[in-house]
Amino acid sequence: MRILSINIIIVFLLAKVATAQQDTIKTKHWLIPKSVITQYAGSIGYLSAGVGYNLNKSGNSTLDIHYGHVPASKGGSLHIVTAKFAYRPFHIKINQHITLSPLNPGFFLSYHAGSNFDSTWDDNNYPKGYYWWSTAFRPHVSLSTELSLKSEKTLKSIGIKKLSFYSEFNTNELYFVSLFQNSKYLGLHDIFKLGFGSRIYF
């Protein structure tokens, strides 16, 4: 509950900043995000925040840029930058205020910053090709469910169109390979991670 409250507070603060940007940036409309997001867990940080851009007029395809952090008390300290693409192929209108987007496939690439992470392994210390993955970059596939709530007049007056909450399962290429190589000891539940987030559209 505490994490959800923090998420909502951060989202509203980011929304206020982004709305202010709309008032100051008039010519470069592509720079103005269409949403702000916070997320708890889900492979991109213990807590992350970011902005979202629509890739088509309907807004069904989005690109999100996140910054996430894992504190030392949770296994860090880690700093993670992530670019996320998601597609919402269909929607279920529950009523005039609530819409469900049940199955949203996606892809994202995360980057772990810091001297302990690198894009390649040092061939002087390891045989060439011995470690094929990057410690800094991690590609993921994801599947999310999003519940959207149309905002009331009070929220519309400050530029907020709707508020949504989502859950997202994801896995990466390293987990997939580990599953195939250790199928006796690992199952699908071991390689998928779950995150929860909230988003404000404006």
Side-chain angles (χ1 to χ4, degrees):
M1 193 67 179
R2 182 184 175 189
I3 291 296
L4 178 60
S5 300
I6 293 173
N7 273 1
I8 293 174
I9 291 171
I10 293 174
V11 161
F12 272 97
L13 290 174
L14 288 173
K16 189 171 182 62
V17 172
T19 303
Q21 285 182 334
Q22 288 182 315
D23 296 331
T24 57
I25 301 175
K26 298 297 184 181
T27 56
K28 298 182 179 179
H29 297 289
W30 59 272
L31 289 174
I32 304 173
K34 297 299 183 182
S35 62
V36 291
I37 318 108
T38 60
Q39 182 173 313
Y40 168 65
S43 302
I44 62 173
Y46 180 73
L47 188 66
S48 64
V51 294
Y53 296 86
N54 291 345
L55 299 181
N56 58 2
K57 290 183 179 180
S58 67
N60 289 340
S61 298
T62 55
L63 174 66
D64 302 336
I65 307 297
H66 282 251
Y67 163 73
H69 180 250
V70 179
S73 61
K74 302 298 180 181
S77 179
L78 299 176
H79 301 273
I80 307 168
V81 178
T82 306
K84 300 177 67 176
F85 167 80
Y87 177 61
R88 299 162 185 81
F90 65 96
H91 312 280
I92 300 173
K93 190 172 182 179
I94 297 175
N95 58 40
Q96 62 178 348
H97 297 295
I98 302 175
T99 302
L100 177 67
S101 304
L103 297 173
N104 311 314
F107 169 85
F108 63 90
L109 181 67
S110 62
Y111 171 73
H112 289 67
S115 58
N116 293 330
F117 302 95
D118 205 344
S119 58
T120 60
W121 291 83
D122 188 353
D123 290 337
N124 294 324
N125 295 325
Y126 305 96
K128 187 174 181 180
Y130 185 79
Y131 291 110
W132 52 268
W133 66 87
S134 165
T135 57
F137 292 96
R138 187 101 291 119
H140 299 73
V141 291
S142 63
L143 187 67
S144 66
T145 298
E146 185 171 10
L147 186 69
S148 300
L149 311 172
K150 283 187 177 180
S151 61
E152 299 297 330
K153 291 182 179 179
T154 52
L155 293 180
K156 288 183 178 179
S157 65
I158 59 173
I160 296 176
K161 292 181 179 179
K162 62 180 178 179
L163 172 67
S164 74
F165 300 93
Y166 67 87
S167 62
E168 179 187 83
F169 284 98
N170 74 79
T171 189
N172 61 53
E173 91 292 9
L174 190 55
Y175 290 161
F176 265 124
V177 171
S178 297
L179 175 65
F180 289 123
Q181 292 180 340
N182 302 277
S183 58
K184 291 183 179 180
Y185 306 101
L186 295 176
L188 287 176
H189 63 281
D190 294 309
I191 69 168
F192 281 92
K193 306 302 178 182
L194 177 63
F196 299 94
S198 55
R199 180 191 298 262
I200 285 181
Y201 294 86
F202 45 83

